[in-house]
Amino acid sequence: MNPEAKKIALRMISSGLYILTSRHGEDMSAATVSWVNQASFTPPLIMMGIRTDSHTHAVLEAGKVCAIHFLGRDQQHIAEKFFKPVKHEGNKIGGMEFETKITGAPILKIAPAYVECKVVDSLKRGDHSVFVVEVLEAEVRNATEALGMRDTPWHYGG
Ligand SMILES: Cc1cc2nc3c(=O)[nH]c(=O)nc-3n(C[C@H](O)[C@H](O)[C@H](O)COP(=O)(O)O)c2cc1C
């Protein structure tokens, strides 16, 4: 295989940028993720590729709940805050205010839309695991155009 061609081809997979939060007891995580896609209409399933060595992976595996936040095109700076591990203090994670609803996963107040989910399956292969999650609840605070990787100078993939 030509590794350069593989990298360029795989980076042609179009992806969005989302903030994934999760919770196990008082342990909370928040990270920017891009390997996210819908996987079924009924039930509504989403699949996500999550780094096995991340805090998010450990919390998702143990707590089995998450919230996936959709960002607007003008919210690159929010995505940037969650590229690295963040701290949870009181009602803030990574310095951003959150509330909790049905799953207990942190719901960022700044996100224009989010879904709350439970983990229904996972598959550990390579350096990321695939988590399959079922959407339990959704809220749209203001409908806006979603932030995509192509709106940014960033890459994750290859
Ligand atoms: C543009 C971009 C996209 C990313 N997409 C993913 C992803 O899809 N899955 C993932 O596990 N990590 C992804 N990351 C890395 C996570 O953001 C990073 O590992 C995470 O913030 C680590 O925090 P944690 O250890 O608290 O989970 C991405 C990073 C960047 C810069």
Side-chain angles (χ1 to χ4, degrees), residues 17 30-35 49-51 54-56 82-86 128 149 154-156:
L17 283 160
T32 296
V33 294
S34 51
W35 293 359
I50 305 299
R51 276 174 58 160
S54 65
H55 182 221
T56 297
F82 296 94
F83 284 168
K84 293 207 177 106
V86 290
H128 284 59
M149 192 74 89
W154 310 319
H155 290 290
Y156 192 80

Side-chain angles (χ1 to χ4, degrees), residues 43-139:
L45 301 179
I46 293 174
M47 58 190 172
M48 314 182 289
I50 305 299
R51 276 174 58 160
T52 52
D53 63 356
S54 65
H55 182 221
T56 297
H57 192 287
V59 179
L60 257 183
E61 206 167 38
K64 299 201 175 332
V65 293
C66 66
I68 302 168
H69 301 78
F70 306 93
L71 300 175
R73 286 184 81 174
D74 58 349
Q75 289 185 310
Q76 277 193 38
H77 59 290
I78 312 287
E80 217 163 351
K81 281 184 190 290
F82 296 94
F83 284 168
K84 293 207 177 106
V86 290
K87 281 203 176 114
H88 160 222
E89 279 163 329
N91 67 339
K92 288 190 177 176
I93 191 157
M96 317 267 0
E97 257 190 82
F98 71 86
E99 57 193 335
T100 56
K101 301 250 170 119
I102 58 169
T103 65
I107 293 169
L108 301 179
K109 292 194 172 171
I110 200 159
Y114 66 85
V115 289
E116 278 196 271
C117 308
K118 67 171 182 188
V119 174
V120 293
D121 225 328
S122 67
L123 179 68
K124 214 170 204 164
R125 289 281 189 282
D127 50 19
H128 284 59
S129 290
V130 174
F131 282 89
V132 179
V133 301
E134 181 172 347
V135 176
L136 304 176
E137 190 58 277
E139 185 178 356

